Coordinates of all heavy atoms in Angstrom, one line a residue:
M17 N 4.3 -6.5 45.4 CA 4.1 -6.1 44.0 C 4.6 -4.6 43.9 O 4.2 -3.8 44.7 CB 2.6 -6.2 43.6 CG 2.4 -6.0 42.2 SD 0.7 -6.6 41.8 CE 0.4 -5.7 40.4
S18 N 5.3 -4.3 42.8 CA 5.8 -3.0 42.7 C 4.9 -2.1 41.9 O 4.2 -2.6 41.0 CB 7.2 -3.1 41.9 OG 7.6 -1.8 41.6
D19 N 4.9 -0.8 42.2 CA 4.1 0.1 41.5 C 4.8 0.7 40.3 O 4.2 1.3 39.4 CB 3.7 1.3 42.3 CG 2.7 0.9 43.4 OD1 2.0 -0.2 43.2 OD2 2.5 1.6 44.4
S20 N 6.1 0.5 40.2 CA 6.9 1.1 39.1 C 6.7 0.3 37.8 O 6.3 -0.9 37.8 CB 8.4 1.0 39.5 OG 8.8 -0.3 39.6
A21 N 6.8 1.1 36.7 CA 6.7 0.4 35.4 C 7.8 -0.5 35.2 O 8.9 -0.4 35.7 CB 6.7 1.5 34.3
P22 N 7.5 -1.6 34.4 CA 8.6 -2.6 34.1 C 9.7 -1.9 33.3 O 9.4 -1.1 32.5 CB 7.9 -3.6 33.3 CG 6.6 -3.0 32.9 CD 6.3 -1.9 33.8
E23 N 10.9 -2.2 33.6 CA 12.0 -1.6 32.9 C 12.0 -2.1 31.5 O 11.8 -3.3 31.2 CB 13.3 -2.1 33.6 CG 14.5 -1.3 33.1 CD 15.7 -1.6 34.0 OE1 15.6 -1.5 35.2 OE2 16.7 -2.0 33.4
E24 N 12.2 -1.2 30.6 CA 12.2 -1.5 29.2 C 13.4 -2.3 28.8 O 14.6 -2.0 29.2 CB 12.2 -0.2 28.3 CG 12.0 -0.5 26.9 CD 11.8 0.8 26.1 OE1 11.9 1.9 26.7 OE2 11.7 0.7 24.9
R25 N 13.2 -3.4 28.2 CA 14.3 -4.3 27.9 C 14.8 -4.0 26.5 O 14.0 -4.0 25.5 CB 13.8 -5.8 27.9 CG 14.7 -6.8 27.4 CD 15.6 -7.4 28.4 NE 16.2 -8.6 28.0 CZ 17.3 -8.7 27.1 NH1 17.7 -7.6 26.6 NH2 17.8 -9.8 26.8
I26 N 16.1 -3.7 26.3 CA 16.6 -3.4 25.0 C 17.0 -4.8 24.4 O 17.7 -5.6 24.9 CB 17.9 -2.6 25.1 CG1 17.5 -1.2 25.7 CG2 18.6 -2.4 23.8 CD1 18.6 -0.2 25.9
R27 N 16.4 -5.0 23.2 CA 16.6 -6.2 22.4 C 17.7 -5.9 21.4 O 17.8 -4.8 20.8 CB 15.4 -6.6 21.6 CG 14.2 -6.9 22.5 CD 13.0 -7.2 21.8 NE 12.6 -6.1 20.8 CZ 11.6 -6.2 20.0 NH1 10.9 -7.3 19.9 NH2 11.3 -5.2 19.2
A28 N 18.5 -6.9 21.1 CA 19.5 -6.8 20.1 C 19.1 -7.7 18.9 O 18.5 -8.7 19.2 CB 20.9 -7.2 20.7
P29 N 19.6 -7.4 17.7 CA 19.2 -8.2 16.6 C 19.5 -9.7 16.8 O 18.8 -10.6 16.4 CB 20.0 -7.6 15.4 CG 20.2 -6.2 15.8 CD 20.3 -6.2 17.3
W30 N 20.7 -10.0 17.4 CA 21.1 -11.4 17.5 C 20.4 -12.1 18.6 O 20.6 -13.3 18.8 CB 22.6 -11.4 17.7 CG 23.1 -10.6 18.9 CD1 23.2 -11.0 20.2 CD2 23.5 -9.3 18.8 NE1 23.7 -10.0 20.9 CE2 23.9 -8.9 20.2 CE3 23.7 -8.3 17.8 CZ2 24.4 -7.7 20.5 CZ3 24.1 -7.1 18.2 CH2 24.5 -6.8 19.5
E31 N 19.5 -11.4 19.4 CA 18.7 -12.1 20.4 C 17.3 -12.5 20.0 O 16.6 -13.1 20.7 CB 18.6 -11.1 21.6 CG 19.9 -10.9 22.3 CD 19.7 -9.9 23.5 OE1 18.9 -9.0 23.4 OE2 20.5 -10.1 24.5
L32 N 16.9 -12.1 18.8 CA 15.6 -12.3 18.3 C 15.3 -13.8 17.9 O 16.3 -14.5 17.7 CB 15.3 -11.4 17.1 CG 15.4 -9.9 17.3 CD1 15.3 -9.2 16.0 CD2 14.4 -9.4 18.3
Q33 N 14.1 -14.1 17.9 CA 13.7 -15.5 17.4 C 13.2 -15.3 16.0 O 12.1 -15.8 15.7 CB 12.7 -16.1 18.3 CG 13.2 -16.3 19.7 CD 14.4 -17.2 19.8 OE1 14.5 -18.2 19.2 NE2 15.4 -16.7 20.6
E34 N 13.9 -14.7 15.1 CA 13.5 -14.5 13.7 C 14.5 -15.3 12.9 O 15.6 -15.5 13.2 CB 13.7 -13.0 13.4 CG 12.9 -12.0 14.2 CD 11.4 -12.1 13.8 OE1 11.1 -12.3 12.7 OE2 10.6 -11.8 14.8
G35 N 14.0 -15.8 11.7 CA 14.8 -16.6 10.9 C 16.1 -15.9 10.4 O 17.1 -16.5 10.4
W36 N 15.9 -14.7 10.1 CA 17.1 -14.0 9.5 C 18.2 -13.7 10.5 O 19.3 -13.5 10.1 CB 16.6 -12.7 8.9 CG 15.9 -11.7 9.8 CD1 14.5 -11.6 9.9 CD2 16.4 -10.8 10.7 NE1 14.2 -10.7 10.8 CE2 15.4 -10.2 11.3 CE3 17.7 -10.4 11.1 CZ2 15.5 -9.2 12.3 CZ3 17.9 -9.5 12.0 CH2 16.8 -8.9 12.6
Q37 N 17.8 -13.6 11.8 CA 18.8 -13.2 12.8 C 20.0 -14.2 12.9 O 21.0 -13.9 13.4 CB 18.2 -12.9 14.1 CG 17.5 -14.1 14.8 CD 18.3 -14.8 15.8 OE1 18.1 -16.0 16.0 NE2 19.2 -14.1 16.4
H38 N 19.8 -15.4 12.4 CA 20.9 -16.4 12.5 C 22.0 -16.0 11.6 O 23.1 -16.5 11.7 CB 20.3 -17.8 12.2 CG 19.3 -18.3 13.2 ND1 19.6 -18.6 14.5 CD2 18.0 -18.4 13.1 CE1 18.6 -18.9 15.2 NE2 17.5 -18.8 14.4
L39 N 21.7 -15.2 10.6 CA 22.7 -14.8 9.6 C 23.2 -13.4 10.0 O 24.0 -12.8 9.2 CB 22.1 -14.8 8.2 CG 21.7 -16.1 7.7 CD1 21.0 -16.0 6.3 CD2 22.9 -17.0 7.5
A40 N 22.8 -12.9 11.1 CA 23.2 -11.5 11.5 C 24.7 -11.4 11.6 O 25.4 -12.2 12.3 CB 22.6 -11.1 12.8
R41 N 25.3 -10.4 10.9 CA 26.7 -10.2 11.0 C 27.2 -9.7 12.3 O 28.3 -9.9 12.7 CB 27.1 -9.1 9.9 CG 28.5 -8.7 9.8 CD 29.3 -9.7 9.0 NE 30.6 -9.2 8.7 CZ 31.6 -9.2 9.5 NH1 31.5 -9.6 10.8 NH2 32.8 -8.7 9.1
C42 N 26.3 -9.2 13.1 CA 26.6 -8.6 14.4 C 26.6 -9.7 15.5 O 27.0 -9.3 16.7 CB 25.6 -7.5 14.8 SG 23.9 -8.0 14.7
R43 N 26.3 -10.9 15.2 CA 26.3 -11.9 16.3 C 27.6 -12.0 16.9 O 28.6 -12.1 16.2 CB 25.9 -13.3 15.7 CG 24.5 -13.4 15.3 CD 24.2 -14.8 14.7 NE 24.2 -15.8 15.7 CZ 23.1 -16.2 16.4 NH1 22.0 -15.6 16.2 NH2 23.2 -17.2 17.2
G44 N 27.7 -11.9 18.2 CA 28.9 -12.0 18.9 C 29.6 -10.6 19.0 O 30.7 -10.5 19.7
S45 N 29.0 -9.6 18.4 CA 29.6 -8.3 18.5 C 29.4 -7.6 19.9 O 28.5 -8.1 20.6 CB 29.0 -7.3 17.4 OG 29.3 -7.8 16.1
D46 N 30.1 -6.6 20.1 CA 29.9 -5.8 21.3 C 28.6 -5.0 21.2 O 28.5 -4.1 20.4 CB 31.1 -4.9 21.5 CG 31.0 -4.1 22.8 OD1 30.0 -4.1 23.5 OD2 32.0 -3.3 23.0
A47 N 27.6 -5.3 22.0 CA 26.3 -4.6 22.0 C 26.5 -3.1 22.1 O 25.7 -2.4 21.6 CB 25.4 -5.2 23.0
S48 N 27.5 -2.7 22.9 CA 27.6 -1.3 23.1 C 28.0 -0.5 21.9 O 27.9 0.7 21.9 CB 28.7 -1.0 24.2 OG 30.0 -1.4 23.7
L49 N 28.3 -1.2 20.8 CA 28.5 -0.5 19.5 C 27.2 -0.1 18.9 O 27.1 0.9 18.2 CB 29.3 -1.4 18.5 CG 30.8 -1.6 18.6 CD1 31.3 -2.5 17.5 CD2 31.5 -0.3 18.6
F50 N 26.2 -0.9 19.1 CA 24.9 -0.8 18.5 C 23.9 0.0 19.3 O 22.9 0.5 18.7 CB 24.3 -2.1 18.1 CG 25.1 -2.9 17.1 CD1 26.2 -3.6 17.4 CD2 24.7 -2.8 15.7 CE1 27.0 -4.2 16.4 CE2 25.4 -3.4 14.7 CZ 26.5 -4.1 15.0
F51 N 24.1 0.2 20.6 CA 23.2 0.9 21.4 C 23.8 2.0 22.3 O 24.9 1.8 22.8 CB 22.5 -0.2 22.4 CG 21.7 -1.2 21.7 CD1 22.3 -2.4 21.3 CD2 20.4 -0.9 21.2 CE1 21.5 -3.4 20.6 CE2 19.7 -1.8 20.5 CZ 20.2 -3.1 20.2
S52 N 23.1 3.1 22.4 CA 23.6 4.2 23.2 C 23.8 3.8 24.6 O 23.0 2.9 25.1 CB 22.7 5.4 23.1 OG 22.5 5.8 21.8
P53 N 24.7 4.3 25.3 CA 24.8 4.1 26.8 C 23.7 4.8 27.5 O 23.0 5.6 27.0 CB 26.2 4.7 27.1 CG 26.4 5.8 26.1 CD 25.8 5.3 24.8
T54 N 23.6 4.5 28.8 CA 22.5 5.1 29.6 C 22.9 6.5 30.0 O 22.0 7.2 30.5 CB 22.2 4.2 30.8 OG1 23.4 4.0 31.5 CG2 21.6 2.9 30.4
Y55 N 24.1 6.9 29.9 CA 24.5 8.2 30.2 C 24.6 9.0 28.9 O 24.6 8.5 27.8 CB 25.9 8.2 30.9 CG 26.9 7.5 30.1 CD1 27.7 8.1 29.1 CD2 27.2 6.1 30.4 CE1 28.7 7.4 28.5 CE2 28.2 5.4 29.7 CZ 28.9 6.1 28.7 OH 29.8 5.4 28.0
L56 N 24.7 10.4 29.0 CA 24.7 11.2 27.9 C 26.0 11.0 27.1 O 27.1 11.0 27.6 CB 24.7 12.7 28.3 CG 24.6 13.7 27.2 CD1 23.4 13.5 26.3 CD2 24.7 15.1 27.7
E57 N 25.8 10.7 25.8 CA 27.0 10.4 24.9 C 27.3 11.6 24.1 O 26.5 12.2 23.5 CB 26.6 9.2 24.0 CG 27.6 8.6 23.2 CD 27.1 7.4 22.4 OE1 26.0 7.4 22.0 OE2 27.9 6.5 22.2
K58 N 28.6 12.0 24.1 CA 29.0 13.1 23.3 C 28.8 12.8 21.8 O 28.9 11.7 21.4 CB 30.5 13.4 23.5 CG 30.8 14.0 24.9 CD 32.3 14.3 25.0 CE 32.6 14.9 26.4 NZ 34.0 15.2 26.6
R59 N 28.5 13.9 21.1 CA 28.2 13.7 19.7 C 29.3 13.0 18.9 O 29.0 12.1 18.1 CB 28.0 15.1 19.0 CG 27.5 15.0 17.6 CD 27.3 16.4 17.0 NE 26.3 17.2 17.8 CZ 25.4 18.0 17.3 NH1 25.4 18.2 16.0 NH2 24.6 18.6 18.1
D60 N 30.5 13.4 19.1 CA 31.6 12.7 18.3 C 31.8 11.3 18.7 O 32.1 10.4 17.9 CB 32.9 13.5 18.4 CG 33.4 13.7 19.8 OD1 32.6 13.7 20.8 OD2 34.6 13.7 20.0
V61 N 31.6 11.0 20.0 CA 31.7 9.6 20.5 C 30.6 8.8 19.9 O 30.8 7.6 19.4 CB 31.7 9.6 22.0 CG1 31.6 8.1 22.5 CG2 32.9 10.3 22.6
R62 N 29.4 9.3 19.8 CA 28.3 8.6 19.2 C 28.5 8.4 17.8 O 28.3 7.3 17.3 CB 27.0 9.4 19.4 CG 25.8 8.8 18.8 CD 24.5 9.6 18.9 NE 23.4 9.0 18.2 CZ 22.3 8.6 18.7 NH1 22.0 8.8 20.0 NH2 21.3 8.0 17.9
A63 N 29.0 9.4 17.1 CA 29.3 9.2 15.6 C 30.3 8.1 15.4 O 30.1 7.3 14.4 CB 29.7 10.6 15.0
D64 N 31.3 8.1 16.2 CA 32.3 7.1 16.0 C 31.8 5.7 16.3 O 32.0 4.7 15.6 CB 33.5 7.4 17.0 CG 34.6 6.4 16.8 OD1 35.2 6.3 15.7 OD2 35.0 5.7 17.8
R65 N 31.0 5.6 17.4 CA 30.4 4.3 17.8 C 29.5 3.8 16.6 O 29.5 2.7 16.2 CB 29.6 4.4 19.1 CG 28.8 3.2 19.4 CD 28.0 3.4 20.7 NE 27.1 4.4 20.7 CZ 25.9 4.4 20.0 NH1 25.6 3.3 19.3 NH2 25.1 5.4 20.0
E66 N 28.6 4.7 16.2 CA 27.7 4.3 15.1 C 28.4 4.0 13.8 O 27.9 3.1 13.1 CB 26.6 5.4 14.9 CG 25.7 5.6 16.1 CD 24.5 6.5 15.8 OE1 24.6 7.3 14.9 OE2 23.5 6.4 16.6
A67 N 29.5 4.6 13.5 CA 30.2 4.3 12.3 C 30.7 2.9 12.4 O 30.7 2.2 11.3 CB 31.3 5.3 12.1
K68 N 31.2 2.5 13.5 CA 31.7 1.1 13.7 C 30.6 0.1 13.5 O 30.7 -0.9 12.9 CB 32.4 1.0 15.0 CG 33.7 1.7 15.1 CD 34.3 1.7 16.5 CE 35.6 2.5 16.6 NZ 36.0 2.7 18.0
A69 N 29.4 0.4 14.1 CA 28.3 -0.5 13.9 C 27.8 -0.5 12.5 O 27.5 -1.6 11.9 CB 27.1 0.0 14.8
R70 N 27.7 0.6 11.8 CA 27.3 0.7 10.4 C 28.3 -0.1 9.5 O 27.8 -0.7 8.5 CB 27.2 2.1 9.9 CG 26.1 2.9 10.5 CD 26.1 4.3 10.0 NE 25.6 5.3 10.9 CZ 24.4 5.7 11.1 NH1 23.4 5.0 10.4 NH2 24.1 6.6 11.9
A71 N 29.5 -0.1 9.9 CA 30.5 -0.9 9.1 C 30.2 -2.4 9.1 O 30.4 -3.1 8.2 CB 31.9 -0.6 9.5
I72 N 29.7 -2.8 10.3 CA 29.4 -4.2 10.4 C 28.1 -4.5 9.7 O 28.0 -5.4 8.9 CB 29.2 -4.6 11.9 CG1 30.5 -4.5 12.7 CG2 28.6 -6.0 12.1 CD1 30.4 -4.6 14.2
C73 N 27.1 -3.6 9.8 CA 25.9 -3.7 9.0 C 26.1 -3.7 7.5 O 25.4 -4.4 6.8 CB 24.9 -2.6 9.4 SG 24.3 -2.6 11.1
A74 N 27.0 -2.9 7.1 CA 27.3 -2.8 5.6 C 27.7 -4.2 5.0 O 27.4 -4.4 3.8 CB 28.4 -1.8 5.4
E75 N 28.2 -5.1 5.8 CA 28.6 -6.4 5.3 C 27.6 -7.5 5.7 O 27.9 -8.7 5.6 CB 30.0 -6.7 5.8 CG 31.1 -5.7 5.4 CD 32.4 -6.1 5.9 OE1 32.6 -7.1 6.6 OE2 33.4 -5.4 5.6
C76 N 26.5 -7.1 6.2 CA 25.5 -8.0 6.7 C 24.5 -8.5 5.6 O 23.9 -7.6 4.9 CB 24.7 -7.4 7.9 SG 23.5 -8.5 8.6
A77 N 24.4 -9.8 5.5 CA 23.5 -10.3 4.4 C 22.0 -10.1 4.7 O 21.2 -10.2 3.8 CB 23.8 -11.8 4.3
V78 N 21.7 -9.8 5.9 CA 20.2 -9.7 6.3 C 19.9 -8.2 6.7 O 18.9 -8.0 7.5 CB 19.8 -10.7 7.4 CG1 19.9 -12.1 6.8 CG2 20.7 -10.6 8.6
K79 N 20.6 -7.3 6.2 CA 20.4 -5.9 6.7 C 19.0 -5.4 6.3 O 18.3 -4.6 7.1 CB 21.4 -4.9 6.2 CG 21.6 -4.8 4.8 CD 22.8 -3.9 4.5 CE 23.3 -4.0 3.1 NZ 24.6 -3.5 2.9
R80 N 18.4 -5.8 5.2 CA 17.1 -5.4 4.8 C 16.1 -6.0 5.7 O 15.1 -5.3 6.2 CB 16.8 -5.9 3.3 CG 15.5 -5.4 2.8 CD 15.6 -3.9 2.5 NE 14.4 -3.3 3.0 CZ 14.1 -2.0 2.9 NH1 14.9 -1.2 2.1 NH2 13.1 -1.5 3.4
D81 N 16.2 -7.3 6.1 CA 15.3 -7.9 7.0 C 15.4 -7.2 8.4 O 14.4 -7.0 9.0 CB 15.6 -9.4 7.2 CG 15.5 -10.2 5.9 OD1 14.4 -10.5 5.4 OD2 16.6 -10.4 5.3
C82 N 16.6 -6.9 8.8 CA 16.8 -6.3 10.0 C 16.1 -4.9 10.1 O 15.4 -4.6 11.0 CB 18.3 -6.2 10.3 SG 18.8 -5.4 11.8
L83 N 16.3 -4.1 9.0 CA 15.7 -2.8 9.0 C 14.2 -2.9 9.0 O 13.5 -2.2 9.7 CB 16.2 -2.0 7.8 CG 15.6 -0.7 7.6 CD1 15.8 0.3 8.8 CD2 16.1 0.0 6.3
D84 N 13.7 -3.8 8.1 CA 12.2 -4.0 8.1 C 11.6 -4.4 9.4 O 10.6 -3.9 9.8 CB 11.9 -5.1 7.0 CG 12.1 -4.7 5.6 OD1 12.2 -3.4 5.4 OD2 12.1 -5.5 4.7
F85 N 12.3 -5.3 10.1 CA 11.9 -5.7 11.5 C 11.8 -4.5 12.4 O 10.8 -4.2 13.1 CB 12.8 -6.8 12.0 CG 12.4 -7.1 13.4 CD1 11.4 -8.1 13.7 CD2 13.0 -6.5 14.5 CE1 11.1 -8.4 15.0 CE2 12.6 -6.8 15.8 CZ 11.6 -7.8 16.0
A86 N 12.9 -3.7 12.4 CA 13.0 -2.5 13.3 C 11.9 -1.5 13.0 O 11.3 -0.9 13.9 CB 14.4 -1.9 13.2
L87 N 11.7 -1.3 11.7 CA 10.6 -0.4 11.3 C 9.2 -0.9 11.6 O 8.4 -0.1 12.2 CB 10.7 -0.1 9.8 CG 11.9 0.6 9.3 CD1 12.0 0.6 7.7 CD2 12.0 2.1 9.8
S88 N 9.0 -2.1 11.4 CA 7.6 -2.7 11.7 C 7.3 -2.8 13.1 O 6.2 -2.7 13.5 CB 7.5 -4.1 11.0 OG 8.3 -5.0 11.6
T89 N 8.3 -2.9 14.0 CA 8.1 -3.0 15.4 C 8.4 -1.7 16.1 O 8.3 -1.6 17.3 CB 9.1 -4.1 16.0 OG1 10.4 -3.7 15.8 CG2 8.8 -5.5 15.5
R90 N 8.7 -0.7 15.3 CA 9.0 0.7 15.9 C 10.1 0.5 17.0 O 10.0 1.1 18.1 CB 7.8 1.3 16.5 CG 6.6 1.5 15.5 CD 6.9 2.3 14.4 NE 5.7 2.7 13.6 CZ 5.3 2.1 12.5 NH1 5.9 1.0 12.1 NH2 4.2 2.5 11.9
E91 N 11.1 -0.2 16.6 CA 12.2 -0.4 17.5 C 12.8 0.9 18.0 O 13.2 1.7 17.1 CB 13.3 -1.3 16.8 CG 14.4 -1.7 17.7 CD 14.0 -2.5 18.9 OE1 13.3 -3.5 18.7 OE2 14.5 -2.2 20.0
P92 N 12.7 1.2 19.3 CA 13.1 2.6 19.7 C 14.6 2.8 20.0 O 15.0 3.9 20.2 CB 12.3 2.7 21.0 CG 12.3 1.3 21.6 CD 12.2 0.4 20.4
H93 N 15.4 1.7 19.9 CA 16.8 1.9 20.3 C 17.7 1.2 19.3 O 17.4 0.2 18.7 CB 17.1 1.2 21.7 CG 16.2 1.7 22.8 ND1 16.4 3.0 23.3 CD2 15.2 1.2 23.4 CE1 15.5 3.2 24.3 NE2 14.8 2.1 24.4
G94 N 18.9 1.8 19.1 CA 20.0 1.1 18.5 C 20.1 1.2 17.0 O 19.2 1.8 16.3
I95 N 21.2 0.7 16.5 CA 21.4 0.6 15.0 C 20.8 -0.7 14.5 O 21.2 -1.8 15.0 CB 22.9 0.6 14.7 CG1 23.5 1.9 15.2 CG2 23.2 0.4 13.3 CD1 23.4 3.1 14.3
W96 N 19.9 -0.6 13.6 CA 19.3 -1.8 13.0 C 19.4 -1.6 11.5 O 18.9 -0.6 11.0 CB 17.8 -2.0 13.4 CG 17.7 -2.3 14.8 CD1 17.9 -1.5 15.9 CD2 17.2 -3.6 15.4 NE1 17.6 -2.2 17.1 CE2 17.2 -3.4 16.8 CE3 16.8 -4.8 14.8 CZ2 16.8 -4.5 17.6 CZ3 16.5 -5.8 15.7 CH2 16.4 -5.7 17.0
G97 N 19.9 -2.6 10.8 CA 20.0 -2.4 9.3 C 20.8 -1.2 8.9 O 20.7 -0.7 7.8
G98 N 21.7 -0.8 9.7 CA 22.6 0.3 9.4 C 22.0 1.7 9.7 O 22.6 2.7 9.5
F99 N 20.8 1.7 10.3 CA 20.1 3.0 10.6 C 19.8 3.1 12.1 O 19.4 2.2 12.8 CB 18.7 3.1 9.9 CG 18.9 3.2 8.4 CD1 19.0 2.0 7.6 CD2 18.8 4.4 7.7 CE1 19.2 2.1 6.2 CE2 19.0 4.5 6.4 CZ 19.2 3.3 5.6
N100 N 20.1 4.3 12.6 CA 19.8 4.6 14.0 C 18.3 4.9 14.2 O 17.6 5.1 13.2 CB 20.8 5.6 14.6 CG 20.6 7.0 14.1 OD1 19.5 7.3 13.6 ND2 21.6 7.8 14.2
E101 N 17.9 5.1 15.4 CA 16.5 5.3 15.7 C 16.0 6.6 15.1 O 14.8 6.7 14.7 CB 16.3 5.3 17.3 CG 17.1 6.3 18.1 CD 18.4 5.8 18.5 OE1 19.0 4.8 17.9 OE2 19.0 6.3 19.5
I102 N 16.8 7.6 15.1 CA 16.4 8.9 14.5 C 16.2 8.8 13.0 O 15.2 9.2 12.4 CB 17.5 10.0 14.7 CG1 17.7 10.2 16.3 CG2 17.2 11.3 14.0 CD1 18.9 11.0 16.6
E103 N 17.1 8.1 12.3 CA 16.9 7.8 10.9 C 15.7 6.9 10.6 O 15.0 7.2 9.6 CB 18.2 7.2 10.3 CG 19.4 8.1 10.5 CD 20.7 7.4 10.4 OE1 20.8 6.2 10.7 OE2 21.7 8.1 10.0
R104 N 15.5 6.0 11.5 CA 14.3 5.1 11.2 C 13.0 5.9 11.4 O 12.0 5.7 10.7 CB 14.3 3.9 12.2 CG 15.4 2.9 11.8 CD 15.2 1.6 12.5 NE 15.0 1.7 13.9 CZ 16.0 1.7 14.8 NH1 17.3 1.7 14.4 NH2 15.8 1.8 16.1
R105 N 13.0 6.8 12.4 CA 11.8 7.6 12.5 C 11.5 8.5 11.3 O 10.4 8.7 10.8 CB 11.9 8.5 13.8 CG 11.6 7.8 15.1 CD 11.3 8.7 16.2 NE 12.4 9.5 16.6 CZ 13.3 9.2 17.5 NH1 13.3 8.0 18.1 NH2 14.3 10.0 17.8
A106 N 12.6 9.0 10.7 CA 12.5 9.8 9.5 C 12.0 8.9 8.3 O 11.2 9.4 7.5 CB 13.9 10.4 9.1
I107 N 12.4 7.7 8.2 CA 11.9 6.8 7.2 C 10.4 6.6 7.3 O 9.7 6.7 6.4 CB 12.7 5.4 7.2 CG1 14.1 5.6 6.8 CG2 12.0 4.4 6.3 CD1 15.0 4.4 7.0
L108 N 10.0 6.3 8.6 CA 8.6 6.1 8.8 C 7.8 7.3 8.5 O 6.7 7.2 8.0 CB 8.4 5.6 10.3 CG 8.9 4.2 10.6 CD1 8.9 3.9 12.1 CD2 8.1 3.2 9.9
A109 N 8.3 8.5 8.9 CA 7.6 9.7 8.6 C 7.4 10.0 7.1 O 6.4 10.4 6.7 CB 8.4 10.9 9.3
R110 N 8.5 9.6 6.4 CA 8.4 9.8 4.9 C 7.3 8.9 4.3 O 6.6 9.2 3.4 CB 9.7 9.6 4.2 CG 10.7 10.7 4.4 CD 11.8 10.6 3.4 NE 12.6 9.4 3.6 CZ 13.7 9.3 4.4 NH1 14.0 10.4 5.1 NH2 14.4 8.2 4.5
R111 N 7.2 7.7 4.9 CA 6.2 6.7 4.4 C 4.8 7.2 4.7 O 3.9 7.0 3.9 CB 6.4 5.4 5.1 CG 7.6 4.6 4.6 CD 7.7 3.2 5.2 NE 8.9 2.5 4.7 CZ 9.2 1.3 5.2 NH1 8.5 0.7 6.1 NH2 10.2 0.7 4.7
V112 N 4.6 7.9 5.8 CA 3.3 8.3 6.2 C 2.9 9.6 5.4 O 1.8 9.8 4.9 CB 3.2 8.6 7.7 CG1 1.9 9.4 8.1 CG2 3.3 7.4 8.5
G113 N 4.0 10.5 5.2 CA 3.7 11.8 4.6 C 3.7 11.7 3.2 O 3.0 11.3 2.3
Ligands
SF4_23 S1 22.0 -5.2 9.7 FE1 23.4 -4.7 11.4 S2 22.2 -4.8 13.2 FE2 21.0 -5.8 11.7 S3 21.5 -8.0 11.8 FE3 22.9 -7.1 10.3 S4 24.7 -6.5 11.4 FE4 23.1 -6.8 12.9

């Protein structure tokens, strides 16, 4: 038995068992567009990657469901509903404040 904490598993919208995820525009997309790499990502590289992911989200029929899910589960990683984790934290902070 290991003493180390279990490795956090990054979930992607298209891997969920939610009704809306079957309509996810990102199904079959490159997950690396939606999630930061494990190494430090340069600001301009991140902006470019996120812009590509947001373009997919912009055409997604379930972006509201996706965003609601990410907000309600405090999803800590990735672009969900067109918003990255920093933007989602700001949305939640505005709701509380
Ligand atoms: S809003 Fe974006 S991340 Fe969410 S299901 Fe649609 S395409 Fe995927």
Side-chain angles (χ1 to χ4, degrees):
M17 189 165 158
S18 170
D19 291 339
S20 63
E23 191 171 307
E24 189 174 358
R25 169 91 166 77
I26 295 178
R27 300 177 302 176
W30 55 89
E31 294 179 325
L32 301 174
Q33 299 301 314
E34 301 286 329
W36 57 264
Q37 61 97 211
H38 297 290
L39 297 173
R41 179 81 170 77
C42 54
R43 288 177 74 89
S45 297
D46 181 355
S48 66
L49 284 181
F50 291 82
F51 296 95
S52 299
T54 54
Y55 54 85
L56 185 61
E57 187 177 35
K58 290 184 178 176
R59 184 181 302 218
D60 59 330
V61 173
R62 178 183 175 120
D64 183 57
R65 174 183 58 76
E66 290 190 342
K68 290 175 182 167
R70 290 180 212 274
I72 295 171
C73 295
E75 297 181 0
C76 180
V78 292
K79 60 186 167 197
R80 185 73 230 185
D81 300 283
C82 180
L83 177 59
D84 288 345
F85 176 86
L87 292 172
S88 66
T89 60
R90 305 297 193 266
E91 185 61 47
H93 304 289
I95 299 278
W96 292 71
F99 292 84
N100 68 23
E101 58 273 21
I102 298 166
E103 295 161 337
R104 291 196 306 276
R105 282 198 295 272
I107 291 170
L108 289 169
R110 282 196 300 273
R111 287 183 179 177
V112 171

